[in-house]
Amino acid sequence: MAHPLISVKNLDLYFGAFHALKDVSVDFNAGELVGLVGDNGAGKTTLIRVLCGIHKPTKGEVWFDGTQVKEFHPKLAIDNGIETIQQSVGLCDNLSIARNFYLGREPVRKILGIPFLDFAKMRGESRKVIREFGLRDNVSADDEVERLSGGERQSVKIGRAVEFMNRVVIMDEPTNHLSVREREHVNELAVQLKEQGLLVIYITHDIFQVHKLADRIVIMENGEKVEDARTTDMTADELEEVIRQGGRKVEKRGAA
Ligand SMILES: Nc1ncnc2c1ncn2[C@@H]1O[C@H](COP(=O)(O)OP(=O)(O)OP(=O)(O)O)[C@@H](O)[C@H]1O
Ligand SMILES: [Mg+2]
């Protein structure tokens, strides 16, 4: 079988004396939607920040597509096609949808050898996304992101991830503060990304919501991975019980 897209092996991470990740080993495959759940402070965001090159692990290995990562720097995410979608960051409120779409990779057109931002291209491409990703009819590519609802903002980020052929989309609590309809829309988009062959890592506190979408659930507790199960093998109720027990049930099961 082909190797996993991302493989994390025996990862330890200390913030000073604080042991934030404890011997974490986990694989993530292309075309898979993995729910990463666990209580506040469990280490979910810290783990994905290692994958994005924001934190350097104290010990252990990270492999991308069969190659070991030797240097952890923020360019790691760009190099490996990782887009992170969080509720509150990633878009500039005072710029248009079109400009946000191309943030950091603006297309340039040369007129008499002088480079100009290619607004026509930015508008055209982002119009396509606005249509495909179900934003309201009265939203235009020239509108500032400030006036978009939470769900519409998420749609712009998700559209951007697809357009730029990313391979991994990490969603960190992507539906916080969203209405029921917006939440459903973002969840549908997450499933679409996975169906297009991307790896989707979906971080949430809501095991019941993510169980419906995910192929696999990974539970973290106190910096440790305490469960890693296919959603066909464990119900949401059973997984919630693992979270409630703080992973103790798993240790018992492992010892039996
Ligand atoms: N830069 C940092 N320096 C020191 N401690 C940190 C740092 N980042 C995270 N931590 C600590 O590491 C632990 C894990 O934090 P993390 O953000 O990964 O949790 P989480 O599982 O994402 O929680 P939540 O569900 O609340 O977002 C917490 O106790 C947090 O205070
Ligand atoms: Mg977090």
Side-chain angles (χ1 to χ4, degrees):
M1 211 194 114
H3 48 245
L5 184 52
I6 300 177
S7 188
V8 170
K9 297 177 185 173
N10 307 106
L11 208 69
D12 270 286
L13 186 126
Y14 285 85
F15 290 119
F18 179 70
H19 202 173
L21 293 177
K22 300 170 185 164
D23 197 27
V24 175
S25 294
V26 60
D27 288 342
F28 299 102
N29 301 298
E32 196 179 31
L33 199 162
V34 182
L36 183 56
V37 294
D39 274 341
N40 295 108
K44 307 180 293 293
T45 299
T46 304
L47 176 63
I48 62 127
R49 283 195 177 145
V50 172
L51 304 183
C52 293
I54 298 167
H55 296 318
K56 185 180 185 305
T58 313
K59 227 179 73 196
E61 298 174 3
V62 175
W63 293 68
F64 270 104
D65 207 4
T67 306
Q68 188 178 356
V69 175
K70 294 290 189 191
E71 278 177 59
F72 289 82
H73 48 73
K75 229 179 128 273
L76 196 63
I78 298 169
D79 292 348
N80 290 295
I82 301 177
E83 171 94 17
T84 308
I85 294 169
Q86 293 171 60
Q87 174 68 21
S88 53
V89 295
L91 297 176
C92 289
D93 273 358
N94 58 340
L95 293 178
S96 68
I97 297 177
R99 287 297 304 277
N100 266 287
F101 202 68
Y102 284 95
L103 215 56
R105 48 196 152 197
E106 287 82 359
V108 168
R109 196 163 52 104
K110 282 195 175 168
I111 301 172
L112 300 175
I114 302 163
F116 288 93
L117 288 183
D118 191 344
F119 286 107
K121 183 175 163 110
M122 288 197 260
R123 257 189 226 115
E125 286 299 315
S126 28
R127 250 187 226 128
K128 214 172 68 189
V129 170
I130 288 173
R131 271 203 313 274
E132 276 173 23
F133 286 83
L135 267 66
R136 288 190 319 265
D137 288 346
N138 62 338
V139 171
S140 111
D142 293 322
D143 286 342
E144 288 181 3
V145 156
E146 203 169 27
R147 57 166 281 193
L148 296 183
S149 76
E152 288 166 343
R153 285 162 198 239
Q154 301 302 66
S155 301
V156 171
K157 289 184 244 176
I158 293 167
R160 193 169 61 181
V162 176
E163 184 68 19
F164 291 104
M165 308 281 278
N166 283 325
R167 307 173 76 186
V168 184
V169 175
I170 297 173
M171 302 176 136
D172 199 347
E173 314 264 6
T175 61
N176 277 4
H177 316 298
L178 294 190
S179 69
V180 174
R181 257 192 42 217
E182 284 183 331
R183 202 184 308 154
E184 279 172 4
H185 182 61
V186 167
N187 287 344
E188 277 164 24
L189 293 178
V191 172
Q192 277 175 30
L193 294 179
K194 151 211 146 135
E195 283 169 355
Q196 288 176 25
L198 277 77
L199 159 64
V200 181
I201 303 176
Y202 190 121
I203 301 179
T204 176
H205 284 255
D206 190 340
I207 179 68
F208 290 93
Q209 194 195 137
V210 77
H211 191 275
K212 292 189 208 133
L213 315 171
D215 302 292
R216 194 149 62 87
I217 302 285
V218 171
I219 301 177
M220 293 194 63
E221 171 72 30
N222 268 327
E224 281 179 87
K225 183 178 96 170
V226 296
E227 185 58 273
D228 187 339
R230 303 203 64 78
T231 45
T232 45
D233 293 337
M234 276 181 93
T235 65
D237 283 308
E238 286 169 333
L239 289 160
E240 196 200 28
E241 187 57 23
V242 175
I243 299 168
R244 206 196 311 276
Q245 303 248 343
R248 272 171 303 193
K249 191 174 151 199
V250 184
E251 281 163 30
K252 259 192 254 152
R253 213 175 49 185

